[in-house]
Amino acid sequence: MEVDRELVEAAQAGDRWALEELVRRTHRSVYTCALRLVGNPDDAADVTQDVYLRVVRKLGGFRHEASFSTWLNRVTTNVAMSTLKRRTRRFAVEGAAVPPDTRDPAPEPAERAEAIALARRLERLVAGLPEGQRQVLVLRDIYGQSTEEVANAMGLTPGAVKVRLFRARERLKAELEATEGGQVVTLAGRRRATGRHS
Amino acid sequence: MTNCHSIRPLLPARADELTLFEVRTRAEHVADCARCATEAAAYSRLGQALAVMASLEVDPADGTLERILVAIGRRRAGVTNPRVLAAAGSAGALVATVVVARAVRSRRRSRHRPSPWPRRLRLPNLPVPTPALARAK
């Protein structure tokens, strides 16, 4: 999700069309991040709406020090974490929503296409991780936040984040190998040989 | 060479999550151990696939976008709607103009109309009161 600086500046200046265009271009990405964090489509839709209400309030203070997408990701993380803290009910691991099929980005080279195919399968496995492990993995490994940023967002120590990350990655790799019946490293070659498509 | 058991916790970690010593130890072990090299490669591939997930998007339910646009429209209407701001600005400017015009007009009138009061009050020459103590002397 890359957004033109001009569009952001126009929205900051009060251009209503620019703000709506900003929402149109980014809402899928915000919704996807929210869904991965909260694990439930209804809550993810609420989080997405709250994110943009906060964006309207805070956009004037955005100084372009980071990219808009990075800033938007942080807002999404904060809103999602606040929602989770407020939420009284807890979703059991078995009850975690299976995300619908992801949309492909623009056509990519073959190597990236392999990674995309693997990523689509991973989406379901990530959704099935325990909530605490899923959140640190999503923020750190998918959205590239630093260990310290993840710790701040989740109210954990960096050490606790590393422990959860270790468990999440180990579990994810094991489940991936179990579902595919082999090593992660051999997935690409095996799929090519058998002609399977996800 | 370090044994596999002690290296195992380091295999899923990204390089920036480890100390330089841990990175070097892992690299040296993986170079000599085929089993751990396979594990490390699997984690590396997993990391790449997870990073790719950031660019994959899920479509929200129908109507989500419209709901967001309505919500932010309502919020903006109360705070920063340009039309509301323009109308409020015009009304404020009109009120300010009327107030200033009336003030100028009343000032002009007061200049031309002779005042019933003298410009400076002149007090008659009255004897200065003497304190009682001085009088007693």
Side-chain angles (χ1 to χ4, degrees):
Chain A
M1 169 196 57
E2 278 311 314
V3 179
D4 303 335
R5 185 176 173 139
E6 289 78 16
L7 188 64
V8 178
E9 286 174 345
Q12 284 180 306
D15 183 334
R16 189 191 169 99
W17 177 86
L19 180 67
E20 290 186 358
E21 186 61 21
L22 210 55
V23 176
R24 277 192 199 94
R25 289 193 193 180
T26 57
H27 78 284
R28 282 191 198 90
S29 161
V30 168
Y31 174 79
T32 306
C33 180
L35 180 61
R36 286 168 179 158
L37 288 171
V38 299
N40 171 278
D42 291 337
D43 285 346
D46 290 344
V47 166
T48 307
Q49 181 173 318
D50 289 348
V51 165
Y52 287 108
L53 291 177
R54 194 174 288 194
V55 164
V56 168
R57 259 199 338 266
K58 307 263 184 185
L59 192 60
F62 174 59
R63 299 276 169 245
H64 298 273
E65 285 156 359
S67 73
F68 180 74
S69 55
T70 304
W71 181 74
L72 191 58
N73 245 325
R74 285 193 198 128
V75 175
T76 308
T77 304
N78 292 336
V79 173
M81 289 303 150
S82 304
T83 303
L84 285 170
K85 279 176 195 161
R86 281 200 309 270
R87 194 168 74 176
T88 50
R89 63 205 158 101
R90 289 264 164 195
F91 290 96
V93 175
E94 294 76 24
V98 174
D101 283 344
T102 45
R103 295 154 50 92
D104 278 344
E108 300 288 340
E111 195 177 305
R112 190 166 154 81
E114 292 287 343
I116 288 171
L118 180 58
R120 290 174 123 205
R121 279 197 299 281
L122 273 174
E123 192 82 54
R124 285 168 186 271
L125 297 177
V126 169
L129 287 172
E131 191 171 83
Q133 291 181 20
R134 187 183 72 237
Q135 286 158 358
V136 293
L137 187 98
V138 165
L139 294 177
R140 176 82 178 118
D141 285 354
I142 298 179
Y143 293 104
Q145 294 191 13
S146 70
T147 307
E148 287 72 23
E149 283 174 322
V150 178
N152 284 337
M154 297 190 62
L156 298 170
T157 62
V161 169
K162 285 182 182 176
V163 169
R164 288 190 189 189
L165 266 178
F166 173 80
R167 289 180 185 155
R169 288 167 181 164
E170 196 177 44
R171 182 170 173 157
L172 208 52
K173 184 172 113 5
E175 287 185 0
L176 196 58
E177 286 171 359
T179 55
E180 296 293 332
Q183 296 284 317
V184 180
V185 281
T186 62
L187 280 178
R190 198 156 44 76
R191 224 181 20 262
R192 227 180 270 121
T194 56
R196 278 178 55 196
H197 295 284
S198 61
Chain B
M1 188 176 119
T2 328
N3 63 31
C4 296
H5 182 73
S6 60
I7 289 297
R8 192 178 148 263
L10 306 181
L11 291 178
R14 283 159 52 164
D16 59 344
E17 293 163 1
L18 301 174
T19 63
L20 279 177
F21 175 75
E22 288 171 331
V23 171
R24 196 184 309 149
T25 309
R26 181 174 71 175
E28 284 170 1
H29 178 85
V30 162
D32 291 334
C33 174
R35 191 168 152 233
C36 286
T38 308
E39 286 280 297
Y43 278 118
S44 170
R45 195 171 173 78
L46 179 66
Q48 286 168 14
L50 286 169
V52 166
M53 281 173 70
S55 62
L56 301 181
E57 294 176 345
V58 176
D59 276 326
D62 288 344
T64 304
L65 173 63
E66 290 70 24
R67 193 160 64 103
I68 295 166
L69 293 176
V70 167
I72 62 169
R74 261 193 228 127
R75 172 64 61 92
R76 282 168 56 83
V79 185
T80 55
N81 187 332
R83 284 184 186 172
V84 173
L85 286 178
S90 304
L94 187 65
V95 169
T97 308
V98 169
V99 168
V100 170
R102 289 186 71 167
V104 169
R105 198 171 146 196
S106 67
R107 192 169 177 180
R108 275 188 192 156
R109 272 188 191 163
S110 67
R111 266 192 208 160
H112 297 297
R113 194 191 309 154
S115 169
W117 305 100
R119 287 205 168 191
R120 191 185 294 170
L121 280 177
R122 286 191 180 178
L123 296 174
N125 289 330
L126 297 173
V128 178
T130 317
L133 191 62
R135 258 183 281 149
K137 282 182 181 178

